[in-house]
Amino acid sequence: MTTATSTTARKPMLPLSLLLLLLPALTFAQTRQELSLNSVAFFNTIPNPPSFVIPGQGVPLTITVALCSGSSSQPMPRFIVTNSTNNAIEDDPTSTTGGPDVFEIGLDDGLGTWTGEFPSGGVLAVEENGAQMTFEIGVSNDGPIHEHITSLPLLGDTTSNQALIFSHPFESFDRPKPSYPNYTLPVANQTLPSPTGNTPNFTLILSPTSNNLAARHQTGCFLSSQPKEGNITSETIWLKDQQGWRDQWLMGGLTPATNYTAYVLQDTNKVSGPIFFATKSASFSCPLVHSLPYCPGISYPIPLPAPPSAAPSYTTLNLPQNITDPLLSYLTNFTTTLTTFACGRDWYSPLVGCDDCQIAYRTWLCSITFTRCSEPSPSNPNAFTTGTVEPTATGLSALGPSKKHPDQKVFSALVPQDTARPEARRSPTLPPPSYAYDMLLPCIETCTAMDRACPAFLGIKCPTAQFNAAASYGVGYVDSADGDQGGGVTGNAADQWGNVWCNPG
Ligand SMILES: *[C@@H]1O[C@H](CO)[C@@H](O)[C@H](O)[C@H]1NC(C)=O
Ligand SMILES: *[C@@H]1O[C@H](CO)[C@@H](O)[C@H](O)[C@H]1NC(C)=O
Ligand SMILES: *[C@@H]1O[C@H](CO)[C@@H](O)[C@H](O)[C@H]1NC(C)=O
Ligand SMILES: *[C@@H]1O[C@H](CO)[C@@H](O)[C@H](O)[C@H]1NC(C)=O
Ligand SMILES: *[C@@H]1O[C@H](CO)[C@@H](O)[C@H](O)[C@H]1NC(C)=O
Ligand SMILES: *[C@@H]1O[C@H](CO)[C@@H](O)[C@H](O)[C@H]1NC(C)=O
Ligand SMILES: *[C@@H]1O[C@H](CO)[C@@H](O)[C@H](O)[C@H]1NC(C)=O
Ligand SMILES: *[C@@H]1O[C@H](CO)[C@@H](O)[C@H](O)[C@H]1NC(C)=O
């Protein structure tokens, strides 16, 4: 009794300083969650207290936030970070208090990034702002965990229900340079090397463009939660061109004549895209050819009968020998002739060598051998020349908007082909077509690049725009008709919106 009384009596007597120490400790019954380094935390609701501890680090940290639901037309939560050490939850940074070392992480398409020093840790506070959204937070000492990758996926091409799609390049490729006295060029039937590093985990997301994913949050967790279309027929890594290693998907089960939007996610949280493309109409008959080590760039439909044994496409495994044999023979013979030049010892150009010439010839040969089937661009359905072009034709050059015709759309280099004149087919290596189709002409740059890269004694001559180049090549798209590099009407053979103007090989 006496003890109790004395305890009660002593309570108000606690020194003020001790009281001040006890108060925060009581509030701390509600403890903030600590975010762990180099990992992603997912929240389906804003926690209580609505703030997180950021661990102290001797190196700069990158804090990323990604919204996983809702849309940017709704209120969105706000994320406020401070890198000053303040322990009291009452002192959590807010969007209104501001102060030194208090920063708001702005959201752009549902993604926010902030990098700074946290020598003794910090706090990330979330303001609900009337928003009910799920979100992720990443804390990293090794670059952002959530990211919008600037390089885009690449469309190979489509059929009525398939699409061949490549990821952005994930590892560069340095072609080994042969040198004198052992100047050896690769054999025609070469096998591809392997990437040296680890292949990231890639996920392809295909959605009909009518779902309008491009206007929603551009984050991995949001995009992967949306309904997808198509199924993966095959997935391989592929060295399509000098830009480096990419992942390659052959997708099936798509709907004919439909606009699609594609994204590639790298390691779940890094987003590349969108690109847009359209599947061909239901009557489109040409099957896809791809994954040819001797023609690594070829990834489009060609005018052959359907692949044997109901295979989904032609690859090196089922392409008829009477097509590959002449192709490899041309390439072998060309290489033999080329190496009669003292490659690597005498120089025909300060910029290029025999190896560059061989690659340029291969690109040209493959684009000529594998005639490309296509259809008018979706954004430009009337844009192709009707009627078979005569060998002497000079028309078909790219036309862009002009002062006189500001609405002029750019026509693709499409030439209708029928079964009536099999001898007039572009590629004697392919059998006469058994159905009518539209041929997409190779870009003239496949020829001019070879002309530039090869020694003069080979006598390579590309047709010129003044004569009949446009009857057999797409002219004026990439380079201007008089050869100004990149000065053409579109500056490129294709774009991210699904337009393809000529075949770059
Ligand atoms: C907080 O980060 C900013 C930006 O990186 C930096 O200028 C400031 O010195 C940091 N404050 C502390 C206490 O480290
Ligand atoms: C010459 O180079 C090729 C390919 O680079 C290599 O396989 C071969 O071993 C080399 N030969 C000599 C004698 O160094
Ligand atoms: C090309 O090489 C691969 C193996 O490296 C072989 O299986 C294939 O038969 C060759 N193709 C031709 C047409 O020689
Ligand atoms: C890819 O995912 C697998 C399993 O999901 C995982 O074991 C692997 O570490 C991941 N690779 C990379 C490079 O992230
Ligand atoms: C993929 O799509 C095709 C065409 O719709 C269908 O026949 C096939 O069963 C699908 N495969 C899977 C695994 O869903
Ligand atoms: C390649 O050269 C060989 C030998 O000279 C010849 O028999 C063959 O017909 C040539 N190939 C082509 C496609 O011209
Ligand atoms: C596809 O998109 C283009 C515009 O890029 C549009 O003109 C066309 O009507 C769309 N096609 C379909 C089937 O929605
Ligand atoms: C290749 O062989 C197939 C039959 O195996 C034949 O139908 C086709 O016409 C041949 N191609 C050429 C260019 O001779």
Side-chain angles (χ1 to χ4, degrees):
M1 194 64 186
T2 329
T3 329
T5 313
S6 64
T7 315
T8 335
R10 216 180 293 144
K11 225 178 184 170
M13 313 268 289
L14 272 177
L16 193 59
S17 59
L18 187 54
L19 254 182
L20 286 179
L21 274 179
L22 276 171
L23 267 173
L26 283 173
T27 327
F28 244 67
Q30 288 184 299
T31 27
R32 297 190 193 97
Q33 184 171 337
E34 173 156 335
L35 296 168
S36 27
L37 194 60
N38 298 328
S39 69
V40 174
F42 171 82
F43 301 93
N44 52 23
T45 177
I46 293 174
N48 184 22
S51 54
F52 306 93
V53 173
I54 295 166
Q57 285 286 309
V59 295
L61 296 183
T62 303
I63 316 287
T64 50
V65 296
L67 300 182
C68 306
S69 65
S71 83
S72 45
S73 59
Q74 298 165 336
M76 288 184 282
R78 298 176 73 168
F79 297 87
I80 321 290
V81 66
T82 178
N83 57 354
S84 77
T85 37
N86 54 356
N87 278 323
I89 285 177
E90 297 79 54
D91 296 337
D92 272 354
T94 70
S95 55
T96 46
T97 49
D101 298 336
V102 174
F103 308 88
E104 173 155 10
I105 305 182
L107 295 177
D108 194 5
D109 293 330
L111 177 72
T113 306
W114 192 83
T115 303
E117 311 271 349
F118 291 86
S120 38
V123 172
L124 173 68
V126 190
E127 291 178 5
E128 188 185 29
N129 193 26
Q132 294 295 324
M133 288 189 188
T134 55
F135 61 93
E136 287 179 347
I137 302 174
V139 179
S140 163
N141 60 8
D142 186 25
I145 291 180
H146 299 93
E147 195 180 354
H148 201 172
I149 296 175
T150 48
S151 61
L152 291 171
L154 181 70
L155 174 69
D157 210 334
T158 59
T159 65
S160 61
N161 59 5
Q162 295 167 304
L164 194 58
I165 297 179
F166 298 86
S167 72
H168 55 280
F170 64 87
E171 186 185 307
S172 63
F173 174 67
D174 293 318
R175 183 158 44 87
K177 282 273 186 196
S179 64
Y180 183 81
N182 180 18
Y183 200 99
T184 318
L185 290 172
V187 295
N189 183 20
Q190 57 181 291
T191 45
L192 287 188
S194 299
T196 50
N198 292 332
T199 304
N201 284 336
F202 287 110
T203 314
L204 175 65
I205 293 181
L206 278 190
S207 167
T209 301
S210 54
N211 288 349
N212 210 9
L213 280 197
R216 312 288 303 276
H217 298 319
Q218 305 293 289
T219 60
C221 59
F222 179 83
L223 294 170
S224 53
S225 70
Q226 298 302 301
K228 289 178 269 292
E229 247 190 52
N231 51 50
I232 299 175
T233 308
S234 67
E235 181 180 357
T236 39
I237 48 172
W238 195 249
L239 188 58
K240 187 180 192 307
D241 52 36
Q242 295 307 305
Q243 291 173 9
W245 290 98
R246 303 171 184 266
D247 208 358
Q248 171 187 258
W249 291 268
L250 176 60
M251 301 297 290
L254 303 179
T255 312
T258 302
N259 289 332
Y260 283 92
T261 304
Y263 290 90
V264 169
L265 306 185
Q266 177 179 333
D267 297 331
T268 316
N269 299 309
K270 296 188 163 81
V271 178
S272 163
I275 60 165
F276 302 88
F277 64 87
T279 44
K280 306 286 193 295
S281 54
S283 61
F284 188 81
S285 307
C286 300
L288 287 168
V289 60
H290 60 95
S291 301
L292 309 177
Y294 39 86
C295 286
I298 301 300
S299 57
Y300 52 72
I302 56 171
L304 281 186
S309 321
S313 57
Y314 284 103
T315 67
T316 189
L317 300 176
N318 62 2
L319 194 67
Q321 193 105 39
N322 61 4
I323 296 172
T324 42
D325 283 351
L327 173 74
L328 293 173
S329 173
Y330 279 122
L331 187 50
T332 303
N333 291 5
F334 179 85
T335 307
T336 305
T337 310
L338 175 61
T339 47
T340 61
F341 188 85
C343 295
R345 189 172 50 128
D346 293 344
W347 292 95
Y348 56 90
S349 157
L351 297 175
V352 292
C354 294
D355 55 331
D356 302 295
C357 166
Q358 191 202 32
I359 297 257
Y361 173 79
R362 185 180 72 177
T363 304
W364 172 83
L365 178 68
C366 294
S367 74
I368 297 294
T369 301
F370 294 107
T371 305
R372 183 163 178 171
C373 304
S374 194
E375 271 185 358
S377 291
S379 60
N380 195 13
N382 300 318
F384 66 102
T385 314
T386 48
T388 306
V389 175
E390 293 304 319
T392 52
T394 57
L396 260 196
S397 277
L399 284 179
S402 61
K403 273 216 182 81
K404 216 169 148 197
H405 301 285
D407 297 329
Q408 172 73 56
K409 301 249 177 86
V410 183
F411 293 5
S412 294
L414 282 175
V415 180
Q417 303 287 293
D418 57 33
T419 53
R421 296 193 307 145
E423 72 287 353
R425 69 188 188 274
R426 182 67 187 277
S427 171
T429 313
L430 297 185
S434 53
Y435 48 80
Y437 65 95
D438 288 333
M439 167 169 71
L440 184 75
L441 296 176
C443 308
I444 185 82
E445 291 74 19
T446 58
C447 189
T448 49
M450 169 172 71
D451 187 6
R452 273 199 296 273
C454 290
F457 85 90
L458 291 170
I460 290 165
K461 286 258 183 307
C462 298
T464 58
Q466 288 80 5
F467 290 94
N468 64 351
S472 45
Y473 289 97
V475 177
Y477 295 95
V478 184
D479 298 347
S480 73
D482 49 18
D484 176 18
Q485 282 186 50
V489 168
T490 57
N492 264 311
D495 68 8
Q496 82 179 93
W497 313 105
N499 295 299
V500 185
W501 291 290
C502 57
N503 179 15

